[in-house]
Amino acid sequence: MRNQITSEARKLLTTRSVWGLLAGTVLISGLAAWAIAANLNLAGPVGLAGLPGFQEMMGLVPALVLVLGIRSYTDEARHGSIVPTLLSSPVRRRIVGAKVVVVGIAAAAFAVAGAASVIAVSSLVLSIDGVALTVGSIGAFVALMAKVVGVCLLWSTIGLGVGLAISHQVAAIVGSLVWLYAIETLLDGLAPNLGRLLPGHAAMSALGIVPGDTLAPLDGAMLLVGWAAVCLTVGVSIFQRRDIA
């Protein structure tokens, strides 16, 4: 298993698209931080955990790690490298297990990179207004980051499951983003009792982003765990039966 994880890590680190997604994470998080921090009216020092809008600033990172998870398999299917992978390690569940570990670690790194961009840009913008961004409560910030990392890890698992199930890269990525930003948004408005049970809403509830009558953060986190388990189980089931020549 260790050799399989090493192999999957090498594949990930030598793929240019992964570094592009990481750069996009830093850029998008920084732009979101700039837009939100520039409109904050704060009178005194503010701690990292108490920075208004921090979760919203990190809101697009899960979508990027979703794409990362999808590409972790569909890149191999698209370029044919899945064939030598299966020849060297024919136990498909072991391959999936290694991908879950490697993509999960990458998702955590994306979350940390996005947070670093948010903190740097927010500190710069707030300093222009004479507001200091301080460390504040370390425990509270660690707890907040644990939520962000956990949500990103689950989204990467969902992405891997979708990629295993659909296999076609463009269809998997476009379909997932349309579902996340169009269909779920529509269902949230038309059938809120159904919409609150979907993965996008569950993730926002887990992060404490969604206001009003919604799921509690713990309920949202548990629901997202369930979605990740379902997506991965379905993806593995289809991958196990797929004929790969």
Side-chain angles (χ1 to χ4, degrees), residues 54-177:
F54 180 84
Q55 293 95 321
E56 286 82 356
M57 297 175 191
M58 296 287 291
L60 288 176
V61 178
L64 292 170
V65 298
L66 171 68
V67 174
L68 174 70
I70 291 171
R71 295 196 66 150
S72 68
Y73 173 74
T74 57
D75 274 351
E76 288 211 73
R78 179 181 180 184
H79 298 291
S81 62
I82 189 62
V83 175
T85 296
L86 289 173
L87 289 174
S88 63
S89 181
V91 181
R92 298 191 181 191
R93 289 184 182 274
R94 182 177 297 174
I95 294 172
V96 174
K99 286 184 181 294
V100 169
V101 171
V102 172
V103 173
I105 293 172
F110 274 46
V112 172
S117 178
V118 164
I119 292 169
V121 173
S122 297
S123 179
L124 174 63
V125 174
L126 292 176
S127 68
I128 296 174
D129 296 329
V131 177
L133 183 60
T134 65
V135 174
S137 172
I138 295 294
F141 181 68
V142 169
L144 179 58
M145 278 304 302
K147 291 180 183 180
V148 173
V149 169
V151 167
C152 287
L153 193 154
L154 291 170
W155 271 114
S156 70
T157 304
I158 290 173
L160 175 58
V162 171
L164 288 169
I166 297 178
S167 185
H168 190 282
Q169 188 171 86
V170 175
I173 293 175
V174 173
S176 295
L177 295 179

Side-chain angles (χ1 to χ4, degrees), residues 155-236:
W155 271 114
S156 70
T157 304
I158 290 173
L160 175 58
V162 171
L164 288 169
I166 297 178
S167 185
H168 190 282
Q169 188 171 86
V170 175
I173 293 175
V174 173
S176 295
L177 295 179
V178 168
W179 171 271
L180 187 60
Y181 290 110
I183 297 176
E184 283 206 26
T185 301
L186 184 64
L187 288 175
D188 262 338
L190 296 178
N193 288 333
L194 174 61
R196 68 205 293 258
L197 299 178
L198 299 177
H201 195 108
M204 290 190 291
S205 297
L207 291 174
I209 294 177
V210 184
D213 182 22
T214 185
L215 297 171
L218 181 58
D219 293 336
M222 295 306 296
L223 183 58
L224 191 62
V225 169
W227 275 108
V230 168
C231 289
L232 186 61
T233 300
V234 172
V236 170

